[in-house]
Amino acid sequence: MSNTRIAFIGAGNMAASLIGGLRAKGLDAAQIRASDPGADTRARISAEHGIETFADNAEAIQGVDVILLAVKPQAMKAVCESLRPSLQPHQLVVSIAAGITCASMNNWLGAQPIVRCMPNTPSLLRQGVSGLYATAEVSAAQRDQAQELLSAVGIALWLETEQQLDAVTAVSGSGPAYFFLLIEAMTAAGVKLGLPAEIAKQLSEQTALGAAKMAVTSDVDAAELRRRVTSPGGTTQAAIESFQAGGFEALVETALGAAAHRSAEMAEQLGK
Ligand SMILES: NC(=O)c1ccc[n+]([C@@H]2O[C@H](COP(=O)([O-])OP(=O)(O)OC[C@H]3O[C@@H](n4cnc5c(N)ncnc54)[C@H](OP(=O)(O)O)[C@@H]3O)[C@@H](O)[C@H]2O)c1
């Protein structure tokens, strides 16, 4: 990315996080620019990261290699159509907008190399994970650029088919909420077992963090880690058996299936 120039269209939360990540990785402020209709948003991002900002999207993309679309899905059609007359064929378009397909973007932008990504909320803390899909027009060098861009806020994983982005949405896109739900439920159960609410909350949160760190850093998988902390006839086994008797695995499968289905349905609606 040492010579890559990037324009962010939309300078909201995700753009700010990506720009912060790229600057922390050593990208020069002169390599990055952003456009946004909000004067306050432009002033904030410019003050924080020292980058040039624009009110006009078409002006922002002049001379850049990568255009990162970081607007809400509902704004994507208008944004793409406004960029179309100014696009150069070699410019890579990277979209992080949930549910907007490459086919819709190609309709609105014309034939442009496109990488579609699904990041998640922990990207705001640079602890995210993104699924990435590239159209056939994307070169190997452009794939590397997209990979480096999204790696600025977490880890970035390539997918073989665009449809897999619905599964990514179900697993990691919506995933933080599942863990929040578990933290909520464990906290409530801890209170019912007699703990003060604040202590139950901290125990649940820190346990989630510690377990996630163990899973990420360990060289064995989650099933093995669970086996190692589940002594036969012990407390953990009693809890796990209760989860399983209540159909935990099947429930998770149904929940993620519902999210993936909704993701495909929303793509259909938003692409019109
Ligand atoms: N936040 C996440 O964790 C997350 C996770 C996965 C995917 N995403 C995707 O990332 C995208 C951005 O999300 P976000 O949370 O960063 O949203 P956000 O904070 O609302 O940022 C979007 C920015 O785009 C601006 N904007 C609106 N219309 C525009 C236009 N025509 N041209 C240029 N800029 C325009 C908005 O300005 P106004 O506020 O004035 O409208 C706002 O500053 C969304 O498509 C979302 O689906 C986000």
Side-chain angles (χ1 to χ4, degrees):
M1 298 280 275
S2 56
N3 296 315
T4 308
R5 288 156 302 168
I6 307 162
F8 285 82
I9 307 300
N13 294 318
M14 280 300 279
S17 180
L18 281 159
I19 293 168
L22 291 169
R23 295 281 289 124
K25 277 187 150 192
L27 248 76
D28 200 275
Q31 291 175 260
I32 306 170
R33 32 170 65 193
S35 68
D36 197 283
D40 290 350
T41 307
R42 291 198 302 275
R44 195 166 49 242
I45 203 129
S46 172
E48 199 170 333
H49 301 293
I51 63 167
E52 195 176 359
T53 58
F54 299 82
D56 179 13
N57 294 337
E59 207 184 325
I61 66 166
Q62 280 174 26
V64 303
D65 308 291
V66 181
I67 298 162
L68 194 134
L69 303 177
V71 297
K72 292 282 188 214
Q74 296 75 5
M76 281 286 284
K77 185 176 186 198
V79 165
C80 290
E81 287 175 346
S82 74
L83 293 175
R84 186 172 186 155
S86 316
L87 281 168
Q88 298 298 311
H90 71 274
Q91 289 179 312
L92 171 67
V93 176
V94 178
S95 164
I96 58 167
I100 304 289
T101 64
C102 295
S104 297
M105 283 186 271
N106 274 137
N107 275 340
W108 302 331
L109 291 165
Q112 207 67 28
I114 293 177
V115 171
R116 187 180 154 201
C117 314
M118 183 63 209
N120 64 358
T121 320
S123 301
L124 302 174
L125 307 177
R126 295 183 206 158
Q127 293 290 330
V129 58
S130 306
L132 273 61
Y133 172 76
T135 58
E137 292 73 25
V138 176
S139 69
Q142 288 175 323
R143 280 174 79 101
D144 289 347
Q145 287 172 334
Q147 166 94 31
E148 277 201 55
L149 234 169
L150 271 296
S151 299
V153 291
I155 63 170
L157 306 168
W158 286 100
L159 305 167
E160 302 242 313
T161 69
E162 187 172 2
Q163 213 187 5
Q164 288 173 324
L165 281 167
D166 293 326
V168 170
T169 304
V171 175
S172 56
S174 301
Y178 316 154
F179 288 95
F180 299 147
L181 182 66
L182 186 60
I183 289 171
E184 278 175 71
M186 284 174 60
T187 303
V191 170
K192 284 211 169 141
L193 288 168
L195 291 169
E198 185 52 32
I199 289 190
K201 173 178 169 292
Q202 285 189 51
L203 290 169
S204 304
E205 289 169 354
Q206 189 61 27
T207 301
L209 180 66
K213 280 194 171 162
M214 283 182 76
V216 166
T217 56
S218 171
D219 49 10
V220 297
D221 64 11
E224 175 59 17
L225 285 173
R226 175 164 63 83
R227 204 186 55 71
R228 288 182 190 176
V229 295
T230 311
S231 321
T235 58
T236 311
Q237 188 180 12
I240 299 283
E241 280 176 1
S242 294
F243 276 130
Q244 288 174 335
F248 185 75
E249 281 96 345
L251 185 60
V252 171
E253 191 180 321
T254 305
L256 270 64
H261 178 72
R262 184 71 190 124
S263 171
E265 218 171 50
M266 284 169 70
E268 176 94 30
Q269 288 162 3
L270 288 164
K272 286 183 183 143

